[in-house]
Amino acid sequence: MNVVLAHQQAKSLLAARAEGRSLAEVSPDLGLSIAEWHVGPDGFAIGDLTLSLAEAQEIAESERKCFSLGRDGLREIRVLSQLTGWLRSLAPTDGAPTMLVSGIPMHRIKDIEPHADTLSKIRTLQPVRGRVLDTATGLGYTAIELAKTATEVVTIELDPAAIEIARQNPWSDGLFDNPKIKQMIGDASEIVADFPDNHFSAILHDPPTISLGGELYSGAFYKQLSRILKKGGKLFHYVGDPSSGLGARTTQGVIRRLMESGFRKTIRHPEAYGILAVK
């Protein structure tokens, strides 16, 4: 049994102890389910796992960290990437957790949580059918949701450290147990060149910021996406907050390069922080 906790769950356990309860109903998987914990004077137990009072207090005070509790004890969920040098970690929100890359969240978390953020992007592509490409796996939320209606989802991740974090995230389980999802590790700007023409019905492109992944915003890359997309197919491109100066400038450049790369029209979706392009 492996348990994943954040400050919300630790605070609930500590509150139960303060109230003198011997049992507490608290999630063991960051809010996906509820389980019964035994509450004692020195700590807490679930199944054959124990959490000391000091450990619970440490978690409660760590509002940007998630922790894994196993037979080998308690540890923070974080990985230093051997490929990029970036420190990746899992961070809680009011819903699905996000991934921090050198402290920067990889999802929108202001006034929205990562699962809702994912759904807002996918709604722009509806209906999602056939074979779909997800250009940046991350925690796998996009691939998991796309696979609910797509025939196949191909998802690409540059950094193996991201997959290592996803394996420790209960919200990412569907990435590893759904046969409709095909994972690929490598640079998306290189991998797409190997796909045949007209291969995908839809593409969801959610790259890192242009300062981190400039090649994923290039005209050459967009031409490859246009080539592998079926006629009439849709591409959603996340670009960031359109009301910010950087977001507005990025949006203008992205639209121009998309139109130069074989897409016949683009539609702004400010609610999803991105652009829909149709081939």
Side-chain angles (χ1 to χ4, degrees), residues 22-39:
S22 60
L23 295 174
E25 297 288 327
V26 175
S27 177
D29 49 18
L30 300 178
L32 287 173
S33 67
I34 297 294
E36 189 173 77
W37 292 69
H38 292 272
V39 181

Side-chain angles (χ1 to χ4, degrees), residues 30-53:
L30 300 178
L32 287 173
S33 67
I34 297 294
E36 189 173 77
W37 292 69
H38 292 272
V39 181
D42 301 319
F44 312 90
I46 180 170
D48 60 354
L49 302 180
T50 59
L51 181 73
S52 72
L53 181 58

Side-chain angles (χ1 to χ4, degrees), residues 74-90:
L74 183 73
R75 59 182 179 77
E76 182 187 345
I77 298 177
R78 56 186 289 179
V79 176
L80 179 63
S81 171
Q82 300 301 307
L83 177 68
T84 64
W86 298 336
L87 179 64
R88 293 180 179 266
S89 60
L90 195 65

Side-chain angles (χ1 to χ4, degrees), residues 197-236:
D197 295 355
N198 308 309
H199 194 58
F200 295 99
S201 300
I203 300 172
L204 200 148
H205 183 41
D206 186 3
T209 61
I210 196 167
S211 62
L212 295 177
E215 70 282 357
L216 299 180
Y217 293 78
S218 69
F221 182 64
Y222 295 163
K223 286 178 182 177
Q224 289 287 357
L225 295 185
S226 175
R227 178 186 64 79
I228 64 177
L229 189 62
K230 293 180 179 180
K231 185 177 181 180
K234 299 177 182 178
L235 160 73
F236 176 77

Side-chain angles (χ1 to χ4, degrees), residues 6-7 20 27 43 50 77 86 109 119 141 193 201 217 243 249 262 276:
H7 67 95
S27 177
T50 59
I77 298 177
W86 298 336
I109 56 174
L119 293 178
Y141 299 159
S201 300
Y217 293 78
S243 66
R249 291 192 299 274
L276 182 72

